[in-house]
Each structure stands twice: as C-alpha cells, then as structure tokens.
Amino acid sequence: MKKIGLIGGTGPESTLVYYKELNTRINNKLGGIGFPEIAIESLNLHKALDLVAKKEYDELTDYIGAKIQNLENGGADIIALTAATMHVVFDKLKPAVHKPFISIPVAAAEYAVKKGFKKVGLFGTIFTMEQDYLSGAFVANGIEVCTPCKEDRLIVHDHIANELEYGIVKEESLKELISIIQKMKEEQGIEALILGCTELPLALNDNNCPVPCLDIMEIHIQKLVELSTSA
Amino acid sequence: MKKIGLIGGTGPESTLVYYKELNTRINNKLGGIGFPEIAIESLNLHKALDLVAKKEYDELTDYIGAKIQNLENGGADIIALTAATMHVVFDKLKPAVHKPFISIPVAAAEYAVKKGFKKVGLFGTIFTMEQDYLSGAFVANGIEVCTPCKEDRLIVHDHIANELEYGIVKEESLKELISIIQKMKEEQGIEALILGCTELPLALNDNNCPVPCLDIMEIHIQKLVELSTSA
C-alpha cells in the first residue's frame, strides 16, 4: 500500500472529507484489515487565500512547495492538493515534485474522457470560471469547456459565496442554478457539468441536474484510492 | 503561531476530532483570521494495534518514532499523539523527541491537580485500567487512581468494546456504569473520573456522572490550542 501525502487546510472541511474517505474506502477495499498511511500538511487557509487573491503565485508556490518537500522527505509515495483553487500553481509546483503528483483537474478530465464527453459546462466561483487552471486539463484532453454568460456567472458565484459556503441551499437558488444549466444544455450543447467548487455537490447532483455532474473531489478521491492500493 | 505535529490514525475518528477542533478553536481564538499549520502522520491502525496486542513495544516505538522524526523535520514546534493507547510507549519515545511532546495523561493529570483532586477513578478498557501508562502521570502528580473491582472492570470493558466502540449507548448499560461510579465514590472516595477511552464521553458527562468527568482528549486539545497560540 502506498503512502498518501496531502496538502490540506485549504479549507479544513474538505481535508476532513479526504482523510475520512481515504481511510474508510481503502480499509474497506482491503477487507477491513488495513488503514492507509497518510501524511497531511495542513496550511494556514488565510495565508494561502491571501496569496491567491494578490496573485502572488511565486510566494504561493514556495509556501506549498516547502510542504510538499516535507511530504516527500517523510516517505509519501503519492502527492495531492485537496483543494481545486490551489491548482492555480500546480504547473509551477510540478517540476519540483518527484513522486506522482495527482491533479484534481487532470483526474476529472481523464474521467470525462472515459465517459465520452466532448463538451462540458463549468460552474465555480468567478475566479474558477474565468481562469484556466481547472478548464485547461479538459481542453488539453480534447474536451470543450463552456461557462455561463457573464450575468449568469455572477449568479452562480453569488450562490456559492453567499449561501453554499455557509452550507445553505435555498430552493429558489437551486431552481436558478438548474435553469442556467438547462440553458447551457440547450444553447451550448453541454453533455455534463463540472462541479468546480467543493460546495456545489451540496446543491447539485445527478438526480436534480439536467446533465450528469462531474464531482471533481469525488473523482480525485477515487483516483487516490486506486493508486494507493495498486501494486 | 506554532505548528502542531500530530501522530494520528489510531484511530482515524479521533484524529478527525483533533484536526477539526484545533482548526476551529485556534482560528476563533485569533479572531477568525488564522488557521494553524498542522502536520499529521496518520498510522496504519491495524499495524499499531497489532504491535500493542503483541506487546512489541520496541517495534511500536520505532514505527511511531520514525513518523515523529518526519514531523520534526517538517518544522513541527509541538508534537502529540492523538490516542491514549499509544502512550504505552510515550516514555520510550520521549528521549528522541526534541520538541515539546505533549502527553495526554500528563495534560490530564496537571488539569486534575489544578482542580484540586486527590483521588480519582479510572474507566477504560481492561488494558487501560490494568496498565499504568495512563494512571502513572496522575500518581507522579500525587493523585491516587482507583479502578473498579475485577468484576466491574469486565463490565466497563464490555460496554466499551461491544457498544461504545460502535457508537451505541444503551440506557441500561449507562445505568450500570453510573452505579459502578457511585459505588467507587462511596467505597473508595473518588472525587472525579478519568474517561480513559475516547468513546466514554459518548455515554458519560458532568450531567449524568456522580462525580466530575476528566475528558482526557478534551483537556489535551485545550492544552494544544493554548501552546500553539502562546508566544
């Protein structure tokens, strides 16, 4: 079994999900006789988000890079970042990482390729929808990524920032999100939707969404389970 | 703010509590502007418990010691084990730890001294009640530690191993536990009860227990918050 090294804390809530799910799923997969070895370097969320906000990407790369170095020195066989946003510096970090470095966007894009999707929508914060750190991996895999129109992007962002981040799912907001997805399906022809923010699965899932959902954290965790337990 | 290094995974559920509580409490203490840096080395629970069961304490010391070394190399300023049972090798580990190494039993014993207790009871598994890895710190601090009689120890152990470990709290089992505590209060004069197992707070608390409860994990977490945020 390979040791998993995680950069966590950005934020702590999703780190808890990774830790709990990796332990439970790997132990179950091994018939209840083996929890994995996991090392977590949990960052100061405020410091990390501040560096993202100021676009101080060199400093962010140094901050995360030093922690990845700790994970490698401690014997981690697989490295991963537990937050989509931190992938804004994934390519800058990559040259210094000597172990398999498992990207959330790449794992999600490879999953979408397997599912045969050619054109997908992307929901997330304005930052996520307007930067290419998440969509880039899909494009590199030959998948077209559509975002909502400017006005709808603001609506999606607001529902995430002011409701979902606080665990609030309003019925009327959900309807609004679904109608934006429906419009993207009809006008842009999206075949699936990337849930590009950890909180979106609180509201959207395959049962209420007009197209299949790509839950990127779920896909990433599945990938880590598979890699940790493979020979 | 000092970086906290934790040996976790023994078991994963209490590691989740440590991680969540340290993040939340330290951030709240700092006015919502600073999550701590935390490093966790999460062990394979089955391997660790197997070494405890076989009393292979040298191997267990080596297993945990190597992970503590990783935490120190990664810049942890404070080291702690997140499970009482692993303190069976605390004294063997200590000489090789160069940072403050915060013991659960010592933190709990110091808390009991502050509260002025002279004689306390100890509940836990048979292993915990019959070994001195937990009681030793209290004795070293001048506090007498009483355990239930042999028959009652078996009852306490059974309720922990067969019910509480699975999150089950039966009303009749709780009554039985409380009557054992009441007997210890009357016959042995205990002034407080050490909840020497992570699951005991599921059943016992200051509202239903005949004497004040010493929740050792809670006391330990408070101590780590205090140390991490002190100058």
Side-chain angles (χ1 to χ4, degrees):
Chain A
M1 192 157 40
K2 299 191 184 77
K3 181 174 178 178
I4 302 167
L6 301 175
I7 297 294
T10 55
E13 288 302 322
S14 68
T15 309
L16 287 167
V17 175
Y18 271 86
Y19 181 72
K20 194 177 171 69
E21 291 300 315
L22 289 172
N23 268 297
T24 307
R25 294 187 199 188
I26 290 173
N27 187 45
N28 287 346
K29 196 171 170 184
L30 299 180
I33 56 154
F35 283 100
E37 287 194 356
I38 299 175
I40 302 176
E41 280 277 0
S42 186
L43 310 182
N44 177 339
L45 175 67
H46 297 96
K47 179 171 172 177
L49 288 186
D50 192 47
L51 293 172
V52 171
K54 291 180 182 158
K55 298 203 164 130
E56 291 179 353
Y57 295 141
D58 286 342
E59 287 80 352
L60 184 62
T61 303
D62 289 346
Y63 184 41
I64 299 178
K67 307 301 184 190
I68 290 179
Q69 193 62 57
N70 289 345
L71 296 172
E72 286 198 11
N73 291 344
D77 301 302
I78 303 164
I79 309 281
L81 314 174
T82 64
T85 309
M86 295 304 138
H87 286 73
V88 70
V89 293
F90 187 89
D91 290 340
K92 288 168 88 72
L93 285 164
K94 199 166 183 184
V97 181
H98 307 91
K99 298 288 176 178
F101 187 27
I102 313 305
S103 147
I104 296 179
V106 172
E110 288 173 352
Y111 178 89
V113 167
K114 265 191 215 158
K115 291 282 177 184
F117 300 129
K118 301 285 184 209
K119 197 172 191 178
V120 301
L122 171 60
F123 266 20
T125 59
I126 286 287
F127 181 81
T128 301
M129 291 185 285
E130 298 188 352
Q131 305 284 318
D132 68 353
Y133 76 93
L134 217 166
S135 60
F138 287 82
V139 174
N141 277 277
I143 297 172
E144 191 178 340
V145 179
C146 308
T147 53
C149 65
K150 181 78 188 172
E151 192 188 328
D152 287 348
R153 287 203 294 275
L154 287 171
I155 294 172
V156 171
H157 178 93
D158 277 352
H159 288 325
I160 292 173
N162 301 320
E163 297 163 19
L164 296 178
E165 292 280 4
Y166 299 93
I168 301 164
V169 184
K170 290 188 184 163
E171 198 55 44
E172 62 191 60
S173 304
L174 180 58
K175 272 188 192 154
E176 206 166 22
L177 292 175
I178 289 173
S179 102
I180 293 171
I181 302 163
Q182 187 61 39
K183 194 162 73 177
M184 291 174 78
K185 182 182 176 183
E186 287 163 16
E187 294 178 3
Q188 299 178 291
I190 63 165
E191 301 155 325
L193 180 74
I194 305 168
L195 303 183
C197 166
T198 317
E199 281 77 17
L200 279 166
L202 293 178
L204 292 165
N205 57 61
D206 283 347
N207 294 322
N208 63 14
C209 186
V211 294
C213 291
L214 298 169
D215 182 338
I216 58 175
M217 184 164 86
E218 169 60 28
I219 294 166
H220 193 222
I221 290 172
Q222 280 175 19
K223 180 89 184 172
L224 293 173
V225 169
E226 189 187 301
L227 290 172
S228 168
T229 53
S230 67
Chain B
M1 193 157 41
K2 298 190 185 80
K3 181 174 178 178
I4 303 166
L6 302 175
I7 297 294
T10 55
E13 287 303 321
S14 69
T15 309
L16 287 167
V17 175
Y18 271 84
Y19 181 72
K20 194 177 172 69
E21 291 301 314
L22 288 172
N23 269 297
T24 306
R25 295 187 198 189
I26 290 174
N27 187 45
N28 286 346
K29 195 170 171 187
L30 298 179
I33 56 155
F35 283 101
E37 287 193 357
I38 299 174
I40 303 176
E41 281 277 359
S42 186
L43 309 182
N44 177 340
L45 175 66
H46 297 95
K47 179 171 173 178
L49 288 186
D50 192 48
L51 293 173
V52 172
K54 291 179 184 160
K55 297 202 166 134
E56 290 180 354
Y57 296 140
D58 286 342
E59 288 80 350
L60 184 62
T61 303
D62 289 346
Y63 185 41
I64 299 177
K67 308 301 184 190
I68 290 178
Q69 193 61 57
N70 289 344
L71 296 172
E72 287 199 11
N73 292 344
D77 301 302
I78 303 164
I79 310 281
L81 314 175
T82 65
T85 309
M86 296 303 138
H87 286 73
V88 71
V89 292
F90 188 89
D91 290 340
K92 287 169 88 74
L93 286 164
K94 200 167 182 184
V97 181
H98 306 90
K99 298 289 175 178
F101 188 26
I102 313 305
S103 147
I104 295 178
V106 172
E110 288 173 353
Y111 179 89
V113 167
K114 266 192 214 157
K115 291 281 179 185
F117 299 130
K118 301 285 183 207
K119 196 172 192 178
V120 301
L122 170 61
F123 266 21
T125 59
I126 286 287
F127 181 80
T128 301
M129 291 185 286
E130 298 189 351
Q131 305 285 317
D132 67 353
Y133 76 92
L134 218 167
S135 60
F138 286 81
V139 174
N141 275 276
I143 297 174
E144 192 179 339
V145 179
C146 308
T147 53
C149 65
K150 181 80 190 170
E151 190 189 330
D152 287 348
R153 287 204 293 276
L154 287 171
I155 293 172
V156 171
H157 178 93
D158 278 351
H159 288 325
I160 292 174
N162 301 321
E163 297 164 19
L164 296 178
E165 291 280 4
Y166 299 93
I168 300 163
V169 184
K170 289 188 185 162
E171 197 58 41
E172 63 191 59
S173 304
L174 180 57
K175 272 189 192 154
E176 206 165 22
L177 292 175
I178 289 173
S179 102
I180 294 172
I181 301 163
Q182 186 62 40
K183 194 161 75 178
M184 292 173 79
K185 183 182 175 182
E186 288 162 16
E187 295 179 3
Q188 299 177 289
I190 63 165
E191 301 155 325
L193 180 74
I194 306 169
L195 304 182
C197 166
T198 317
E199 281 77 18
L200 280 167
L202 293 178
L204 293 165
N205 57 61
D206 283 346
N207 294 322
N208 63 15
C209 186
V211 294
C213 292
L214 297 170
D215 182 339
I216 59 175
M217 184 164 85
E218 169 61 27
I219 294 166
H220 193 224
I221 290 172
Q222 280 175 18
K223 179 87 183 172
L224 293 173
V225 168
E226 190 188 299
L227 289 172
S228 169
T229 53
S230 67

